[in-house]
């Protein structure tokens, strides 16, 4: 029934102008005969500020916490006031916002008295961001001719009780969506819900983890068998590489879920694919779109990408990494050695990005962090340890490298002038990653981009956008 879930991130609802643009985008979909269900994030930076409120008051800084809350109150009141002009609606909304902030302040005062922040209370505090934004945006939509109906997402998204990273219960969500959202859509209304927030079966507020609004969008889209899920953000979609480093970078028009997942780790700015899994499982396409440039077609993420003439879809880079070399002859023919090494990383809660082993050595890469000296000290009880920072990981992703001969030769030929420290060809067979000096990273990306995206497949990449610049540079 042409149902689309439209999720708008924090920057798409950051101020009255952004909310106004968002309303126009939704109105456009309605005019085109679609039935949108809208999911919104908290206004930009609000989640961080609420978390700061919570930790300040738990540390006894009641004044500091209340000061942040008071600034948030003004920001929401001012935004509501700028958006909603109907006097009756405006005063109802202003009073409602005040009541929410009175409640929040009450919680913050309590926290400053008990000086203990539990994950459950943290979720309750942070939930105000989406509760406020969704209610306010629904009112703004209504005034702009969108027949909006606010729905408290906590009545629909039901999870277990793992506060701060709760796991959704699909069967209940499906039932609740059918009861609470579907009838509104049938009546021609546009339901507006906050992302990220949920509740457990007892009705206690939980959250889906940071960035969880995309997840909400996918859960609702999945539960309601939407024809598409649109993730509205502030970039044009997934690019072939970072346009700041590589001015030739192109928008990727279509990418597979697996490819997007490989890239996510590098460019979480766009979206984290794990969060759209509920959509992918049901074969619902996910579109990444730019609310500041709505005419742009964005990137379409689908389960199976069409065949592409170029082997790679995108080149991603992660900087500020360190490489740790662990060398020990003791490793020879022993088992459990890797386990011992990883136990130490686990103890310091440091994720390992890439591993390469030989009979006598293991090299690992991690995000540079202040625990490295401690980790190295513990590792040196097992073996000789060296570590070095300022490294970068370059990752080339594409389904079409599967089974292609000579791909490694082509990649390394393109960067033959650059010293490569570590190589890994992903088990997924769709990525090739290698580790180089951070100072070489930009140059490596430009060389690789020139080698692999010279004749981009117009089915997959937005070649139109490049024409003017391309014509001059080649
Ligand atoms: N507001 C939440 C966050 O900042 C959820 C989201 O926007 O996706 O993490
Ligand atoms: Mg996000």
């Amino acid at each position: 029934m042409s149902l689309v879930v439209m999720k708008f991130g924090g920057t798409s609802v950051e101020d009255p102008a952004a909310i106004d643009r968002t309303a126009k985008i939704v109105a456009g979909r309605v005019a085109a005969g679609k039935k949108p269900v809208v999911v919104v994030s908290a206004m930009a930076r609000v989640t961080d500020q609420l978390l700061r409120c919570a930790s300040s008051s738990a540390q006894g800084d009641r004044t500091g916490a209340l000061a942040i809350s008071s600034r948030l109150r003004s920001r929401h009141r001012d935004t509501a006031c700028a958006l909603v002009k109907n006097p009756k609606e405006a005063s109802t909304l202003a009073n409602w916002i005040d009541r929410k902030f009175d409640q929040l302040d009450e919680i913050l005062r309590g926290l400053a008295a008990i000086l203990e922040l539990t994950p459950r209370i943290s979720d309750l505090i942070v939930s105000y961001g989406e509760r406020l934004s969704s209610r306010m945006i629904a009112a703004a939509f209504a005034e702009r001719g969108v027949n909006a109906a606010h729905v408290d997402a906590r009545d629909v998204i039901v999870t277990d009780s793992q506060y701060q990273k709760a796991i959704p219960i699909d069967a209940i969500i499906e039932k609740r969506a059918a009861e609470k959202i579907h009838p509104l859509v049938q009546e021609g209304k546009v339901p507006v819900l906050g992302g990220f927030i949920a509740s457990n079966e007892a009705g206690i507020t939980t959250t889906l983890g940071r960035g969880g609004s995309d997840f909400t969008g996918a859960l609702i889209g999945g539960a309601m068998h939407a024809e598409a899920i649109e993730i509205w953000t502030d970039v044009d979609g997934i690019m072939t590489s970072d346009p700041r480093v590589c001015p030739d970078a192109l928008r990727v028009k279509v990418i597979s879920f697996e490819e997007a997942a490989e890239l996510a780790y590098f460019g979480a700015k766009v979206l984290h694919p794990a969060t759209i899994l509920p959509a992918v499982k049901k074969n619902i396409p996910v579109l990444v779109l730019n609310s500041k440039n709505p005419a742009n077609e964005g990137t379409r993420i689908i389960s199976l990408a069409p065949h592409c003439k170029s082997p790679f879809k995108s080149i991603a880079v992660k900087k500020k990494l360190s490489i740790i070399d662990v060398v020990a002859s003791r490793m020879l023919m022993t088992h459990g050695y890797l386990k011992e090494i990883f136990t130490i990383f686990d103890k310091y809660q440091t994720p390992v990005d890439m591993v390469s082993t030989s009979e006598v050595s293991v090299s690992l890469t991690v995000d540079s962090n202040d625990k490295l000296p401690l980790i190295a000290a513990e590792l040196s009880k097992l073996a000789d340890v060296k570590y070095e920072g300022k490294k970068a990981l370059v990752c080339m992703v594409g389904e079409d490298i599967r089974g292609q001969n000579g791909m490694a030769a082509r990649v390394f030929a393109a960067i033959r002038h650059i010293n490569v420290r570590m190589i890994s060809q992903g088990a997924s067979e769709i990525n090739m990653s290698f580790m180089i000096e951070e100072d070489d990273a930009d140059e490596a990306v430009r060389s690789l981009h020139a080698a692999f995206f010279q004749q981009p497949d117009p089915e997959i990449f937005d070649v139109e956008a490049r024409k003017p610049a391309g014509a001059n540079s080649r």
Side-chain angles (χ1 to χ4, degrees), residues 7 9-10 41 211-214 268-271:
K7 179 261 166 176
S41 287
S213 293
D214 295 343
K269 316 148 219 150
V270 179
L271 92 173

Side-chain angles (χ1 to χ4, degrees), residues 223-418:
M224 300 186 70
H225 304 275
E227 69 173 28
I229 294 168
E230 300 178 347
I231 306 285
W232 289 87
T233 163
D234 58 354
V235 294
D236 280 341
I238 295 172
M239 306 289 288
T240 51
S241 71
D242 184 342
R244 288 165 302 183
V245 172
C246 189
D248 267 5
L250 298 164
R251 174 170 60 89
V252 182
K253 294 203 274 191
V254 55
I255 196 163
S256 74
F257 172 75
E258 259 189 88
E259 291 168 330
E262 293 283 353
L263 290 169
Y265 155 76
F266 299 90
K269 316 148 219 150
V270 179
L271 92 173
H272 198 294
T275 64
I276 61 164
L277 203 57
V280 174
K281 277 201 214 141
K282 294 199 165 138
N283 240 322
I284 302 172
V286 175
L287 286 109
V288 179
L289 297 159
N290 187 351
S291 67
K292 292 187 175 139
N293 184 17
N296 188 288
E297 285 167 20
T299 299
R300 197 176 170 83
I301 304 172
I302 56 179
S303 326
L304 276 181
H307 178 72
C308 171
K309 288 196 204 97
S310 344
F312 296 109
K313 299 268 173 36
S314 183
I315 308 170
V317 179
K318 194 174 187 201
K319 294 185 182 173
K320 296 202 185 88
L321 297 181
S322 292
I323 189 164
I324 305 176
D325 294 314
V326 184
V327 183
S329 40
R330 231 188 80 191
M331 198 173 156
L332 212 62
M333 285 184 288
T334 58
H335 64 85
Y337 190 80
L338 283 174
K339 184 180 164 206
E340 282 181 54
I341 292 178
F342 279 104
T343 305
I344 296 170
F345 284 92
D346 187 44
K347 177 171 161 192
Y348 291 97
Q349 295 183 354
T350 297
V352 173
D353 292 320
M354 190 171 165
V355 188
S356 128
T357 67
S358 79
E359 205 50 55
V360 292
S361 71
V362 185
S363 298
L364 310 105
T365 71
V366 297
D367 268 323
S368 299
N369 67 41
D370 47 12
K371 294 177 205 144
L372 280 187
L374 297 169
I375 294 174
E378 280 210 38
L379 285 171
S380 55
K381 291 179 199 152
L382 306 173
D384 294 331
V385 180
K386 277 191 320 229
Y387 67 96
E388 236 179 273
K390 295 204 74 187
K391 301 285 176 280
L393 185 57
V394 177
C395 172
M396 314 217 12
V397 173
E399 298 257 15
D400 293 281
I401 61 171
R402 269 194 186 117
Q404 278 214 37
N405 294 338
M407 200 47 69
R410 281 181 62 192
V411 168
F412 294 111
I415 50 157
R416 62 169 72 80
H417 52 302
I418 287 166

Side-chain angles (χ1 to χ4, degrees), residues 26-54:
V26 175
R29 286 288 184 273
V30 175
K34 303 286 178 197
K35 298 184 186 307
V37 175
V38 174
V39 173
V40 294
S41 287
M43 298 175 79
R45 300 174 303 280
V46 168
T47 304
D48 288 328
Q49 286 159 8
L50 287 168
L51 288 171
R52 230 173 319 125
C53 266

Side-chain angles (χ1 to χ4, degrees), residues 151-266:
V151 175
D152 191 331
R154 295 172 300 169
D155 294 336
V156 179
I157 306 296
V158 177
T159 65
D160 68 6
S161 300
Q162 288 179 59
Y163 298 103
Q164 297 181 320
K165 206 153 187 46
I167 310 288
I169 307 171
D170 292 343
I172 306 183
I173 296 171
E174 218 159 292
K175 195 164 155 276
R176 297 279 181 95
E179 282 166 13
K180 303 198 185 276
I181 305 180
H182 186 77
L184 295 170
V185 176
Q186 291 291 66
E187 284 169 39
K189 297 212 164 112
V190 175
V192 178
L193 302 86
F196 174 60
I197 57 173
S199 72
N200 66 12
E201 285 180 82
I204 298 164
T205 301
T206 60
T207 65
L208 300 173
R210 291 306 306 269
S213 293
D214 295 343
F215 201 9
T216 306
L219 288 167
I220 292 181
M224 300 186 70
H225 304 275
E227 69 173 28
I229 294 168
E230 300 178 347
I231 306 285
W232 289 87
T233 163
D234 58 354
V235 294
D236 280 341
I238 295 172
M239 306 289 288
T240 51
S241 71
D242 184 342
R244 288 165 302 183
V245 172
C246 189
D248 267 5
L250 298 164
R251 174 170 60 89
V252 182
K253 294 203 274 191
V254 55
I255 196 163
S256 74
F257 172 75
E258 259 189 88
E259 291 168 330
E262 293 283 353
L263 290 169
Y265 155 76
F266 299 90

